[in-house]
Amino acid sequence: MLICPQCKFENPNSNKFCQNCGTSLTHKVCPECSTDDVPVNALRCHNCDTECGTVFWAIIAKETTREALKGEGDVRDVGGEGDEQAIASSFPISQMTLGSYLDSQERYQLLDALPAQTETAFITDVGVRVLDCQPYQISPIEAILESQESDLLTPSVEASEIPRLAKLYIALQSQGERGIPSIHDAWQQGDIQVLIIENRSDWQYLLDLWQEETTSSLKILHWCYEMTQLWAVLEPVNCRQSLLDLSNLRLDEDQTLALQRLYVELSNSQPVRESSEDAQSQTSTIPEEPLTIQALGRVWQALFRQSQRTQFGSVVQMLGDLEVGKIQTIAQLRSRLEEISIELEALGTATLPPIKEKNTAVSTTPQSDELEDIISKTDDMPTVVLAMQLSSLEDAGRTDVGRQRHHNEDYFGIETKINKLELPKSQVLEGHGLYILCDGMGGHAGGEIASELAVNTLRQYFQEHWIGNQMPTEDSIREAVYLANEAIYKLNQQDARSGVGRMGTTLVMLLIQDTQAAVAHVGDSRLYRLTRKQGLQQVTVDHEVGQREINRGVEASIAYARPDAYQLTQALGPRDENSINPDVAFFDINEDTLLLLASDGLSDNDLLETHWQAHLEPLLSSGANLERGVTDLIDLANQHNGHDNITGILIRAKVRPNLES
């Protein structure tokens, strides 16, 4: 099936255009110059030469065992590069050249030359970039991931057919672990596993930023925390080796530690690879000693050595204690890192709050062949909770009349203030944002007046009462909502409006102060929150008859079978303040978050719940354009709903650990 990039409709493979929305399935639009006739299988735009193809990282791996390798003497570590002899017998790699395809369907085309053949070394895998020439074709692995919440199986592909290495990626991806690359496709050919994963080959090396003079000691300390987190996640699936190759340690756009790929532990004690060049030349035998957290200490020593950066006193002592076995568990290691952070704080170097352990138990269960077993072992990993600070705050809003209404009764307001202080070794960003969306009712010259009046009343209130960098209290927020209600109510009384002629409006309002947020709402306009770890969540609960009945214990199917199920139980304006009770809630922004305020024209018929992965999740990335994103949401709503006015406000709040003074 071909998945339409615009509306996600499933089309037959023979279709050239989406039979639902008409989008081309053979050509795409260049993101740089907007040329709209770029073939989907092209790497670069023919007009401006911008690389716009879908590029993945391919791993061609021989399925080996510890026992099999013992008889071969010196061998390449898993993940090492070298001769392809060991896999040539079951995979025609020696016949592949630049531009060749990895698969018989001619989907994945080689963009890198494969290693030259030698006669002495044996290889267990090769990693290269590939171009996806059929990017709209859903892969078997993607189909499995879409259905994994039920039984991890699809009608076409069973879990038993998934290559063993691919199961590790699927298991970790299901946990929302951002440091692990996502998997796109995989297949088995003889004893060769082929994996197609997210391409991180162009991501920044950790070593490069580690050695920069402007990188603070506490920033380095935080990366050490992140390595202990990944160690705990990787231990149950025997992939700790992934942390022992410096060239595999990368940073994402937010300077968060990430792995380029997974390396499986064929041996239980592997030396640290200090560079890509070293990885190509080093061989090792397979010792019997178990892999311990001493290996993490050696990684840190290698990073200091290669960066030629001086170790500070407490770190020298910690590394020494690690080497001699005085520190034996992840919990003990984090405790020592916490002590160092407190010491640096006392010295006035920087501030870092203590680590809060949610769970210090680390599973050491051996790797299982079954995907379900692997997932169960990664469910309860220890985490570190650090105080966060805002690193960026962006927004975009748009409203549209829809396809059936003649005028727009929706109205919205956005006010964002950013104070930024940047010094060579520190940066402080203070964000102050007010986002209001109202969906009016009462017909022409009624609903649109009510929604605009509510927005302007709320804006004026907070301009006068939200001073400084303190989030308004719940009482203050409620007072603002009551004032907006009163303004509309008085106008209704003044104009002697009655019955359905009385104008009113829904309200959803978001306030952001740095990493704190508050939401207030009346009616059925909604706030959604999206993070990489939690996915999409509806923050507000609609004030309507059906939901009221559910709150009283009525079955949802019965509650929404009522003819008045979608009638509002609360709205601003039709009655005095005694008839409304706005919901007000507070929450912290402790990870990168996308927030969406939506009128019911955008949220009806579970539109966002159905399409969030395609239309919202990509907007978490700093490189994604929010203006384009909200426009795409409006277009999506017009395609699938369109019966009402459509309004959306997107807010992207990105955060980072508070490591500066």
Side-chain angles (χ1 to χ4, degrees):
M1 301 296 290
L2 297 177
I3 307 301
C4 174
Q6 179 65 31
C7 69
K8 304 307 171 184
F9 185 82
E10 295 184 1
N11 296 269
N13 290 335
S14 59
N15 277 25
K16 294 184 178 180
F17 297 91
C18 175
Q19 62 191 44
N20 181 59
C21 69
T23 297
S24 174
L25 301 176
T26 59
H27 292 79
K28 59 189 174 184
V29 178
C30 172
E32 183 65 27
C33 69
S34 299
T35 296
D36 61 1
D37 61 345
V38 181
V40 295
N41 63 350
L43 176 63
R44 296 184 176 277
C45 171
H46 57 78
N47 184 52
C48 66
D49 202 40
T50 295
E51 184 172 308
C52 56
T54 304
V55 177
F56 291 104
W57 186 257
I59 300 171
I60 309 168
K62 180 177 173 63
E63 194 166 35
T64 56
T65 64
R66 182 180 173 86
E67 289 71 23
L69 288 177
K70 280 184 177 179
E72 297 178 355
D74 287 354
V75 297
R76 293 282 179 187
D77 296 336
V78 173
E81 298 178 8
D83 176 62
E84 66 272 12
Q85 274 187 336
I87 60 176
S89 61
S90 56
F91 197 83
I93 191 170
S94 59
Q95 304 171 16
M96 292 187 177
T97 59
L98 198 65
S100 297
Y101 293 94
L102 282 182
D103 58 319
S104 58
Q105 292 78 29
E106 297 190 348
R107 175 170 183 173
Y108 302 108
Q109 186 177 32
L110 287 172
L111 296 178
D112 298 324
L114 293 167
Q117 183 172 346
T118 68
E119 298 180 356
T120 57
F122 288 91
I123 186 175
T124 54
D125 71 19
V126 173
V128 288
R129 292 182 308 137
V130 293
L131 173 68
D132 187 354
C133 297
Q134 302 171 31
Y136 301 156
Q137 177 72 53
I138 189 169
S139 72
I141 293 296
E142 288 177 312
I144 289 172
L145 290 173
E146 288 182 1
S147 61
Q148 67 180 356
E149 291 184 359
S150 53
D151 60 358
L152 298 171
L153 302 176
T154 67
S156 58
V157 180
E158 295 187 357
S160 60
E161 298 176 2
I162 305 172
R164 182 176 304 189
L165 185 56
K167 291 181 180 181
L168 305 180
Y169 285 88
I170 294 173
L172 295 173
Q173 187 172 337
S174 71
Q175 304 304 309
E177 178 50 59
R178 187 178 173 187
I180 311 299
S182 59
I183 187 167
H184 172 71
D185 203 351
W187 64 90
Q188 187 100 14
Q189 185 170 334
D191 61 350
I192 298 302
Q193 305 173 76
V194 181
L195 274 67
I196 308 296
I197 65 172
E198 177 185 3
N199 176 36
R200 296 181 171 182
S201 61
D202 57 350
W203 287 24
Q204 184 177 24
Y205 288 104
L206 171 64
L207 178 61
D208 290 346
L209 197 55
W210 188 292
Q211 65 189 2
E212 288 188 7
E213 293 183 2
T214 55
T215 300
S216 69
S217 297
L218 277 174
K219 185 67 174 177
I220 288 176
L221 198 62
H222 178 63
W223 288 326
C224 293
Y225 287 137
E226 292 182 325
M227 279 188 241
T228 63
Q229 286 179 291
L230 280 174
W231 180 276
V233 168
L234 296 170
E235 183 174 20
V237 293
N238 291 340
C239 288
R240 293 167 294 180
Q241 179 68 27
S242 311
L243 288 165
L244 304 188
D245 184 348
L246 299 195
S247 66
N248 196 46
L249 303 179
R250 304 297 181 110
L251 296 172
D252 68 9
E253 61 187 12
D254 301 314
Q255 297 184 359
T256 297
L257 184 69
L259 301 176
Q260 182 177 346
R261 54 160 296 179
L262 293 178
Y263 292 154
V264 181
E265 301 161 27
L266 285 186
S267 63
N268 283 332
S269 180
Q270 304 268 12
V272 175
R273 295 201 192 94
E274 298 202 5
S275 68
S276 300
E277 294 76 18
D278 186 54
Q280 293 181 23
S281 63
Q282 183 172 331
T283 61
S284 66
T285 56
I286 302 178
E288 297 295 334
E289 296 81 5
L291 190 61
T292 69
I293 60 171
Q294 289 178 338
L296 270 184
R298 297 185 189 115
V299 170
W300 298 339
Q301 288 174 339
L303 284 163
F304 278 112
R305 181 167 58 252
Q306 288 224 348
S307 66
Q308 298 183 340
R309 189 182 180 110
T310 303
Q311 301 174 22
F312 38 103
S314 300
V315 170
V316 174
Q317 183 64 47
M318 178 189 67
L319 293 176
D321 289 346
L322 257 177
E323 189 63 32
V324 300
K326 291 184 178 180
I327 302 174
Q328 297 184 340
T329 67
I330 286 290
Q332 291 171 346
L333 182 55
R334 287 184 175 166
S335 178
R336 181 63 68 88
L337 290 169
E338 178 183 353
E339 292 174 4
I340 297 173
S341 72
I342 294 172
E343 176 186 330
L344 291 179
E345 180 181 0
L347 293 173
T349 306
T351 58
L352 183 66
I355 305 171
K356 183 186 295 182
E357 291 284 355
K358 288 186 177 178
N359 177 10
T360 56
V362 179
S363 170
T364 56
T365 308
Q367 176 182 331
S368 167
D369 291 345
E370 295 301 321
L371 185 57
E372 296 88 340
D373 292 343
I374 296 174
I375 292 175
S376 70
K377 293 171 193 170
T378 56
D379 274 341
D380 200 20
M381 291 292 100
T383 58
V384 173
V385 179
L386 297 174
M388 308 301 286
Q389 68 177 19
L390 197 65
S391 62
S392 67
L393 184 64
E394 303 168 87
D395 54 64
R398 186 184 162 192
T399 185
D400 186 83
V401 70
R403 294 186 300 172
Q404 296 183 18
R405 299 292 178 89
H406 297 294
H407 63 282
N408 195 342
E409 296 182 90
D410 288 2
Y411 200 80
F412 72 91
I414 296 176
E415 289 191 18
T416 304
K417 299 177 183 177
I418 301 292
N419 291 325
K420 181 177 180 182
L421 172 63
E422 186 165 1
L423 300 171
K425 294 187 178 182
S426 66
Q427 175 180 307
V428 177
L429 190 76
E430 292 181 350
H432 176 110
L434 176 64
Y435 311 94
I436 310 168
L437 186 154
C438 291
D439 178 357
M441 61 195 75
H444 185 62
E448 55 202 57
I449 292 176
S451 58
E452 182 175 357
L453 181 57
V455 169
N456 290 335
T457 302
L458 291 163
R459 286 181 55 242
Q460 182 177 349
Y461 175 88
F462 287 111
Q463 286 171 359
E464 297 173 359
H465 294 84
W466 190 1
I467 301 172
N469 58 1
Q470 294 297 315
M471 174 67 76
T473 65
E474 179 177 345
D475 288 343
S476 179
I477 294 172
R478 286 182 174 276
E479 181 182 0
V481 176
Y482 289 137
L483 285 175
N485 182 82
E486 183 182 5
I488 303 169
Y489 177 73
K490 283 184 175 179
L491 196 55
N492 274 323
Q493 295 296 93
Q494 175 183 317
D495 295 344
R497 293 174 179 258
S498 62
V500 295
R502 294 179 73 81
M503 59 185 175
T505 183
T506 68
L507 165 71
V508 60
M509 175 173 62
L510 175 69
L511 300 86
I512 292 179
Q513 180 64 58
D514 302 330
T515 58
Q516 292 181 305
V519 58
H521 91 286
V522 174
D524 61 357
S525 293
R526 296 176 178 176
L527 173 68
Y528 289 89
R529 174 174 55 192
L530 172 65
T531 65
R532 289 187 174 93
K533 290 184 179 179
Q534 301 298 324
L536 184 70
Q537 298 171 303
Q538 182 181 328
V539 179
T540 56
V541 178
D542 295 345
H543 295 143
E544 59 188 15
V545 171
Q547 185 62 51
R548 182 194 66 192
E549 295 304 297
I550 291 174
N551 295 343
R552 292 174 175 175
V554 177
E555 292 274 349
S557 59
I558 298 175
Y560 277 95
R562 296 174 53 129
D564 61 348
Y566 293 96
Q567 181 178 317
L568 296 182
T569 56
Q570 290 193 60
L572 296 185
R575 296 184 291 274
D576 63 26
E577 68 177 42
N578 295 320
S579 66
I580 65 166
N581 181 26
D583 288 340
V584 180
F586 295 82
F587 58 92
D588 292 326
I589 302 173
N590 49 30
E591 60 180 307
D592 291 350
T593 301
L594 187 73
L595 296 150
L596 171 64
L597 284 71
S599 66
D600 59 350
L602 179 56
S603 62
D604 275 353
N605 300 317
D606 295 327
L607 183 73
L608 297 169
E609 288 82 356
T610 303
H611 296 280
W612 69 269
Q613 289 174 305
H615 289 268
L616 290 178
E617 192 169 28
L619 300 177
L620 278 167
S621 172
S622 297
N625 186 304
L626 288 187
E627 295 284 354
R628 183 178 301 168
V630 75
T631 297
D632 288 345
L633 287 175
I634 298 294
D635 292 343
L636 181 70
N638 270 318
Q639 291 170 13
H640 294 273
N641 290 334
H643 57 277
D644 199 354
N645 306 145
I646 306 164
T647 304
I649 301 174
L650 285 170
I651 304 101
R652 181 169 58 213
K654 300 188 81 70
V655 297
R656 58 188 173 87
N658 186 7
L659 301 179
E660 285 82 17
S661 57

